[in-house]
Amino acid sequence: MQKSAESPMGSSLQSTPNDLQSPTQIAWVGPGILFAVLAMASLSFSDATSKWVMLSVTPVMVLWFRYAVQALGTTLVLAPLRGRAMWRTHSLRWQLLRGLLMVSCSLLAFYCLQRMPVAEFTATVMLTPLVLTALARFVMKEQVSPLRWLMVLGGLIGAMLVIRPGGQVDSSVGWMALTVVLTYAVFQAVTSHMTRTEDPAVMQLYTGWVGWAVSTLLVLNAWVTPQSGHEWALLLLVGLAATLGQYLLIVAFSKAPASVVSPFLYTGVGFSTLMGWWFFDHIPDTLAFTGMGLVVLCGVVSGRIQGARKI
């Protein structure tokens, strides 16, 4: 699951220029929301396709293809437009750190997807903005209201209902999903910091190449040549859908205020539930649905509180 900008759901860390509604931004609110919804549909499709293809190949193989497509695709798009200038960055160290965080998050996510349903995994990862609330308080020293802390607690309770012992999800894998959330939250904090000075396309480029370099090292001892054209096609689809989804998120958050767009990222839970039913004939049980709804509700309310505070 690769909900990335990649997903400035971490807008609670700071008030960025995107949170100030200029006339241009107001004009882009509708398209920005549309881009966000399309991004979540694309990323949910990538997750479901990843789970499907991992029935026959290893997670490391999927990781390699996913970043190969992003690295080569972004380079082919940017090279004719910018030439060598496409590598221009204000901080190579931050670019490398961001890339390492993303590839680590992706690898953990693939291992989770291999062993837990897509919808439940997506709902758990949607805890990220709530975890970022805690980071905002303890790292950025931002004041957090009691109501927002209540939303964090509610989201955690919802996640526990999803990954509870005895449920449809192996609890050991559920805890790994929470590790994905923590890693992704740090990634979003770094992204939020970098968007003040870095070009989103350049960030996408570096993330792709760092991810491909790391996954190439990992795949050397795990390479298994796909046995059919169907497997090749699925692996390419994983990379294309993930890359498209990430880019659409970058566009969405660059064109509309984060406080407006963020709630629509929770459409990913709906898309993932649909994909899980379509691909794997899986429907979450009642408690899991309750937990997923609680995560979404708390996340949306927390985002609305944050957005209202910035107005």
Side-chain angles (χ1 to χ4, degrees):
M1 182 233 160
Q2 332 294 320
K3 275 78 179 169
S4 89
E6 284 170 13
S7 157
M9 293 174 75
S11 59
S12 62
L13 284 178
Q14 63 185 43
S15 179
T16 64
N18 284 343
D19 291 313
L20 305 177
Q21 296 193 37
S22 67
T24 301
Q25 287 174 318
I26 292 173
W28 272 94
V29 163
I33 292 171
L34 177 61
F35 286 139
V37 173
L38 291 175
M40 299 317 295
S42 184
L43 292 170
S44 297
F45 177 77
S46 177
D47 286 347
T49 307
S50 298
K51 184 175 178 65
W52 183 270
V53 76
M54 281 188 290
L55 295 173
S56 55
V57 303
T58 64
V60 175
M61 285 279 294
V62 181
L63 185 78
W64 187 86
F65 273 90
R66 179 251 179 277
Y67 281 102
V69 171
Q70 179 173 336
L72 295 177
T74 308
T75 301
L76 290 174
V77 170
L78 292 181
L81 301 174
R82 305 188 184 186
R84 293 182 180 178
M86 68 181 179
W87 297 102
R88 189 173 298 150
T89 178
H90 292 86
S91 178
L92 179 60
R93 288 180 298 177
W94 281 105
Q95 295 283 9
L96 295 177
L97 174 61
R98 183 174 182 274
L100 288 172
L101 286 168
M102 191 63 219
V103 72
S104 300
C105 187
S106 296
L107 183 58
L108 287 170
F110 285 141
Y111 277 112
C112 289
L113 281 167
Q114 192 178 36
R115 300 172 60 190
M116 67 185 294
V118 180
E120 283 86 334
F121 172 75
T122 300
T124 304
V125 173
M126 287 297 173
L127 281 173
T128 301
L130 299 174
V131 172
L132 278 161
T133 298
L135 286 179
R137 174 63 183 90
F138 296 112
V139 177
M140 304 300 292
K141 307 303 181 183
E142 177 183 313
Q143 292 300 314
V144 176
S145 69
L147 183 56
R148 286 178 65 198
W149 279 123
L150 182 62
M151 294 303 102
V152 172
L153 178 61
L156 290 174
I157 292 173
M160 292 302 102
L161 290 176
V162 172
I163 64 174
R164 70 193 186 280
Q168 294 175 302
V169 177
D170 184 338
S171 57
S172 63
V173 184
W175 287 109
M176 186 183 294
L178 292 179
T179 304
V180 174
V181 172
L182 291 173
T183 306
Y184 194 51
V186 176
F187 168 81
Q188 292 298 350
V190 171
T191 299
S192 181
H193 170 76
M194 292 177 65
T195 51
R196 292 179 293 179
T197 58
E198 297 292 336
D199 184 332
V202 175
M203 293 165 65
Q204 183 89 329
L205 178 70
Y206 274 97
T207 300
W209 280 99
V210 171
W212 196 17
V214 172
S215 60
T216 298
L217 294 176
L218 295 175
V219 84
L220 290 177
N221 293 322
W223 180 270
V224 178
T225 302
Q227 298 300 306
S228 67
H230 182 250
E231 288 182 355
W232 283 102
L234 287 175
L235 288 166
L236 289 174
L237 275 176
V238 169
L240 288 171
T243 301
L244 175 62
Q246 290 177 9
Y247 182 72
L248 288 173
L249 278 177
I250 291 174
V251 174
F253 279 94
S254 66
K255 299 300 183 181
S259 58
V260 172
V261 175
S262 290
F264 290 90
L265 300 186
Y266 290 93
T267 58
V269 176
F271 285 122
S272 293
T273 302
L274 178 63
M275 299 290 178
W277 169 75
W278 184 264
F279 279 84
F280 307 104
D281 197 28
H282 170 78
I283 298 294
D285 62 24
T286 302
L287 280 178
F289 259 130
T290 302
M292 292 160 63
L294 190 56
V295 169
V296 172
L297 175 63
C298 292
V300 171
V301 171
S302 180
R304 296 288 291 181
I305 294 170
Q306 179 67 12
R309 191 178 66 85
K310 290 176 179 178
I311 294 175

